[in-house]
Amino acid sequence: MAHKCFITFKTEDIAYKEYIRDEMQVDMIDKSLNEPIDSDNEDYIMRKIREDYLSDSTVTICLIGANSNENLGWNEQRFIKRELQASLYNGQNNSKSGILGIVLPSMYDTIYTGSGNCDTCGKSHIYVNIKDSTIVKEFSYNYYIPNNKCAWSEDDRYCVLVKWEDFEKNPNNYIDKAFDKRTSDISSKTKVRP
């Protein structure tokens, strides 16, 4: 079953958003938060974003490119951060959306940095560089939700992550995975504003 998607992205990556909209069989809401909502009330801002932009969506797709990192600061990332916060927000008349991060080709070598043996458990781990230098905190925290383990399994993560080339081959498979996270146990451990 198709799930309605909202795409959050940096303007530098608009070609990928347009490709998803025009070339893929993805049911999406084609809206973006381009103007700030004039309020200091965070609950009001979240409610307005949900009502005006995300109301029908159940999965938010986050395009991860070279300009979507936390280190660029609040002003540069305020729209993508607010859209992810609103997606994670559970409030009256709305429930949180699943979050699907798509790593764009320019970021493959920065995010997928190889594998190695763990000093704690002795097993091999794949290194996935999701942190402030690669993506905003709203994604990274909910990808690596703190635990007392040396690694994270798929069940330990709320956000789903995929390379662009894999998403392009079977987009609805990854959208379904993100949608299913909404009712998984890890859903209760997400944080809207990490």
Side-chain angles (χ1 to χ4, degrees):
M1 181 178 151
H3 305 294
K4 195 162 279 191
C5 299
F6 176 85
I7 300 178
T8 185
F9 63 100
K10 297 296 291 181
T11 54
E12 294 85 350
D13 301 319
I14 195 168
Y16 290 97
K17 179 240 181 182
E18 291 174 345
Y19 185 85
I20 293 170
R21 181 191 64 205
D22 300 337
E23 305 297 329
M24 296 181 162
Q25 300 296 317
V26 173
D27 187 9
M28 66 173 277
I29 297 170
D30 194 11
K31 295 179 180 176
S32 294
L33 180 61
N34 295 321
E35 297 293 328
I37 295 170
D38 188 22
S39 175
D40 294 328
N41 182 324
E42 287 296 322
D43 287 337
Y44 172 78
I45 292 170
M46 291 301 106
R47 185 169 55 81
K48 287 299 290 176
I49 293 171
R50 290 290 308 180
E51 288 174 359
D52 296 349
Y53 299 92
L54 304 174
S55 61
D56 294 332
S57 67
T58 53
V59 172
T60 295
I61 294 173
C62 178
L63 299 181
I64 302 174
N67 298 295
S68 51
N69 66 74
E70 183 75 24
N71 292 344
L72 291 175
W74 166 256
N75 197 46
E76 178 67 23
Q77 304 299 11
R78 65 188 186 277
F79 297 121
I80 193 170
K81 289 175 76 67
R82 287 256 166 87
E83 290 167 347
L84 285 173
Q85 289 171 2
S87 298
L88 291 161
Y89 184 72
N90 251 339
Q92 188 175 5
N93 299 325
N94 66 268
S95 59
K96 74 175 72 173
S97 294
I99 306 292
L100 172 59
I102 302 175
V103 180
L104 301 181
S106 63
M107 294 295 288
Y108 287 176
D109 291 342
T110 304
I111 290 183
Y112 299 101
T113 57
S115 62
N117 289 327
C118 176
D119 292 337
T120 303
C121 71
K123 296 180 180 175
S124 179
H125 294 307
I126 296 171
Y127 301 134
V128 181
N129 191 18
I130 293 293
K131 57 184 183 180
D132 289 354
S133 63
T134 55
I135 187 64
V136 294
K137 283 187 188 307
E138 286 72 9
F139 189 94
S140 62
Y141 179 89
N142 292 298
Y143 185 76
Y144 286 130
I145 292 175
N147 64 31
N148 293 321
K149 303 173 188 174
C150 59
W152 285 259
S153 70
E154 287 301 318
D155 291 340
D156 298 323
R157 300 180 183 119
Y158 184 74
C159 296
V160 173
L161 191 69
V162 62
K163 286 183 178 178
W164 170 261
E165 64 191 38
D166 294 327
F167 176 75
E168 192 177 14
K169 292 173 190 166
N170 191 355
N172 288 314
N173 176 49
Y174 297 99
I175 291 168
D176 287 346
K177 285 182 180 180
F179 178 84
D180 291 345
K181 290 284 187 174
R182 300 165 67 230
T183 55
S184 67
D185 291 341
I186 198 67
S187 175
S188 65
K189 297 181 179 177
T190 60
K191 199 178 262 192
V192 173
R193 295 183 196 100

